[in-house]
Amino acid sequence: MHPPQAPGSPQAVPPRVPGWAREALELAGVFFAAAVAHVFAGGLAEQEDGPALLMVTGAVLVAASVLVRAWHSRRGSGRRPAVLRTGRRRDRALAWIFRARRRRLAGGGGTITGEAGPAESGPRESGPAQPHPAESDTRPAADGLVAETERGADAAATAASAAPSPRPLFVPTQPGAAREAVLWRLRVSVEDRPGRLAFLTGVLAGLSVDIRSLEVHPTDAGIVDELLVDAPTSVTAADLAEALLRAGGTQPHVVPADRHELTDPPARALGLAARIAADPDELVAVLADLLDTAEIRLDEVAIGESDVLAGTRLTLAEARIGTLRLSRPDLAFTPAEFARARALRDLAVQIRAGRRRDGVTMLAAGREISVEQADRLDLAAVRDLHRRCSPDSRFRRYRTAAGPGRDGLRRLLTPGHAHTLLARDADDGVIAMACLVWRDGEGELGLLVRDDWQRRGLGTMLARELMRTAEARGARSVHAYVQADNLCMIRIMNRVVPEPARSCRDGILHLTADLQDQPRT
């Protein structure tokens, strides 16, 4: 036996019948009704006058239903519907409650405006308030509803006062109210299971953290979520890391972020690609911005070396550029980041190859000379140029008659280290080389022209092209270190930049072209 329920306790809810059981019962009822109808109709049809009897029975049932419906409609035409009667009774009860409360508030010491007539203008006698004569006929009818309404209201008030008030997870900021916040970048590994992200956002909401953007990185081990969040100034990096762990995440990474990072990933990728399109030599700087990389090193391409993703290390091997080795000790690279880095590397290679095909055509000594940007694939042609130059020309350029070695030439042909132009003659191959080596936002200019092509204006044209490149990259100044008796190089600098700054030490003349103050000719 079930224990008796206490008065006022909620009634036990009967167990709910499953949906398939109800459908089975309904189907069984249909089958039973069809069987009964078949037996009844079949039995009558076997009789001699069975069909006529079925027709008469049907007509009688239809007529009876019509008569019963007409009788009910005629009987109920003079009565109000039950719903209307109940509604009017409730209205009278509520009106009586409203007037009674107004008298109770007014007490017995005065009149109520709009209710007292001329005969009631004097003070009333003490004692319980008497009902208005017009209400005497409605009060007995409303007693039941009044009592029920007041009992329900008292019970609701008692339950509301006894129940503990829920504690909110956070107090939302009022619209328009100023709120001091700090922007953070969060990265955490979570299990690839439905509801994990919702739970993570709920835990962050408990700290009044506002999520500005979310990016998902699929990995072999699960999902890596990267979030840009606004957190109150009272929330520290340790609090955010603890919240990520409490939400079931692993390997939390919390670093301050910049307001410029509040862009969606497609817009950011397009911006980085635009920088590569404007200058492929910006590849190293673009990769640093993309991956927040602590270290990027450019090495030689080893035989058989290819692109590799290995945890906190990433390798991008390309014969035209070299091998880029990226490391991030405190944060592993994701496959999505690896794919983006490779795409930017390929874009830089394709743009550089396109510029090589287009080139720049110049006229020198009445002949067309093509000028193109060099890379490491031009190493053999550059070494051949140095072999065909005289020792004196190599000495004036490098201050050594032997010239640079193989590794030195590779560095000059590495786009991230220097911007090198090669001048080619259709019949004579590479005839000149102009380099602009980058150092801390400044450039160092160097020219090497084959002896039989000197004094034809080729060095001046290449120097002007490098000056335009330096200005496009925002270089502050361009330097040239030449021997004091190298009149050809001094005249070239004077033609390109009027009155460059000069200083001489140990027989080496230092010429400086300030690109921000002086006009270029």
Side-chain angles (χ1 to χ4, degrees):
M1 296 180 62
H2 296 287
Q5 294 183 347
S9 62
Q11 298 294 329
V13 180
R16 185 177 180 181
V17 180
W20 62 268
R22 291 197 303 271
E23 294 177 359
L25 290 175
E26 293 175 359
L27 189 60
V30 172
F31 288 165
F32 183 76
V36 172
H38 177 72
V39 171
F40 179 73
L44 287 180
E46 293 177 357
Q47 303 296 328
E48 182 178 355
D49 54 350
L53 184 58
L54 284 175
M55 295 178 62
V56 171
T57 303
V60 170
L61 292 176
V62 171
S65 62
V66 170
L67 291 176
V68 170
R69 183 177 293 275
W71 180 73
H72 276 290
S73 62
R74 188 182 306 109
R75 182 172 178 269
S77 60
R79 301 180 58 186
R80 292 191 300 269
V83 176
L84 182 60
R85 293 197 305 271
T86 305
R88 291 185 177 180
R89 184 183 179 193
R90 184 183 297 108
D91 291 342
R92 288 197 299 269
L94 292 176
W96 183 86
I97 293 173
F98 177 70
R99 287 191 289 268
R101 286 183 177 177
R102 290 184 64 182
R103 289 194 186 87
R104 193 178 301 119
L105 292 174
T111 61
I112 301 177
T113 304
E115 290 199 6
E120 297 176 347
S121 57
R124 296 187 179 183
E125 297 179 0
S126 60
Q130 299 296 327
H132 195 276
E135 301 167 6
S136 58
D137 56 340
T138 61
R139 182 171 183 178
D143 284 343
L145 286 176
V146 171
E148 183 179 355
T149 303
E150 292 183 349
R151 284 197 303 271
D154 295 341
T158 304
S161 61
S165 59
R167 182 171 179 243
L169 290 175
F170 67 99
V171 179
T173 306
Q174 295 294 332
R179 170 180 130 138
E180 295 184 0
V182 180
L183 190 66
W184 298 89
R185 180 181 291 276
L186 314 180
R187 180 175 286 203
V188 60
S189 300
V190 296
E191 186 179 359
D192 189 8
R193 198 172 64 185
R196 277 297 180 184
L197 181 58
F199 185 63
L200 173 64
T201 56
V203 172
L204 292 177
L207 297 176
S208 299
V209 172
D210 183 18
I211 298 177
R212 292 302 190 90
S213 69
L214 169 66
E215 190 173 357
V216 179
H217 298 263
T219 63
D220 296 336
I223 297 295
V224 175
D225 290 332
E226 186 173 0
L227 305 95
L228 274 176
V229 301
D230 257 337
T233 54
S234 58
V235 177
T236 63
D239 297 334
L240 293 173
E242 182 184 357
L244 295 178
L245 293 174
R246 193 165 61 250
T250 58
Q251 300 176 354
H253 182 73
V254 181
V255 294
D258 188 78
R259 293 289 169 181
H260 296 90
E261 301 180 32
L262 290 175
T263 56
D264 58 310
R268 187 183 182 196
L270 289 175
L272 296 176
R275 290 174 57 184
I276 294 291
D279 187 0
D281 296 343
E282 284 283 313
L283 177 61
V284 174
V286 168
L287 289 177
D289 292 342
L290 172 69
L291 304 174
D292 299 327
T293 307
E295 180 183 355
I296 300 180
R297 191 175 73 254
L298 185 62
D299 295 335
E300 297 294 329
V301 179
I303 298 176
E305 193 171 20
S306 60
D307 300 341
V308 177
L309 171 62
T312 59
R313 297 187 177 276
L314 191 152
T315 302
L316 300 175
E318 171 57 44
R320 296 177 180 86
I321 300 175
T323 299
L324 289 168
R325 305 189 189 278
L326 302 91
S327 62
R328 195 165 58 186
D330 54 344
L331 189 61
F333 294 105
T334 64
E337 292 176 324
F338 181 46
R340 293 168 187 170
R342 294 180 65 183
L344 290 175
R345 187 273 317 273
D346 295 341
L347 178 63
V349 172
Q350 292 298 325
I351 291 176
R352 186 174 290 112
R355 292 184 177 180
R356 285 175 58 90
R357 289 191 301 268
D358 297 341
V360 178
T361 302
M362 297 181 177
L363 292 176
R367 301 181 62 174
E368 290 188 356
I369 304 300
S370 64
V371 179
E372 60 191 30
Q373 184 178 356
D375 56 29
R376 293 193 173 197
L377 295 181
D378 298 307
L379 179 60
V382 170
R383 295 187 68 186
D384 181 69
L385 168 66
H386 283 72
R387 282 194 299 267
R388 298 176 68 178
C389 290
S390 64
D392 183 64
S393 295
R394 292 195 297 266
F395 183 80
R396 290 182 181 276
R397 169 64 178 90
Y398 301 105
R399 282 173 280 179
T400 173
R406 188 184 185 93
D407 294 339
L409 289 179
R410 280 203 186 96
R411 287 182 61 82
L412 293 178
L413 296 176
T414 301
H417 175 72
H419 184 85
T420 302
L421 299 179
L422 296 181
R424 293 179 184 267
D425 180 68
D427 301 327
D428 213 3
V430 178
I431 58 177
M433 173 181 174
C435 301
L436 193 62
V437 181
W438 306 113
R439 289 192 178 92
D440 299 330
E442 299 180 346
E444 180 182 342
L445 188 144
L447 294 174
L448 177 65
V449 181
R450 214 170 66 186
D451 294 60
D452 55 340
W453 279 86
Q454 293 179 5
R455 295 179 178 84
R456 298 190 184 185
L458 184 58
T460 303
M461 288 188 293
L462 293 175
R464 284 175 177 159
E465 191 67 24
L466 288 181
M467 287 294 181
R468 282 191 283 266
T469 301
E471 288 180 349
R473 293 195 58 171
R476 297 186 299 272
S477 59
V478 173
H479 307 272
Y481 296 90
V482 301
Q483 295 178 8
D485 59 348
N486 191 351
L487 301 180
C488 291
M489 190 64 188
I490 295 173
R491 282 196 296 266
I492 288 175
M493 289 297 295
N494 287 331
R495 293 190 191 114
V496 175
V497 179
E499 300 180 0
R502 300 170 181 239
S503 62
C504 187
R505 182 177 181 182
D506 298 333
I508 301 300
L509 185 62
H510 179 199
L511 304 176
T512 302
D514 193 341
L515 301 182
Q516 297 180 346
D517 296 334
Q518 297 185 2
R520 178 176 49 83
T521 60

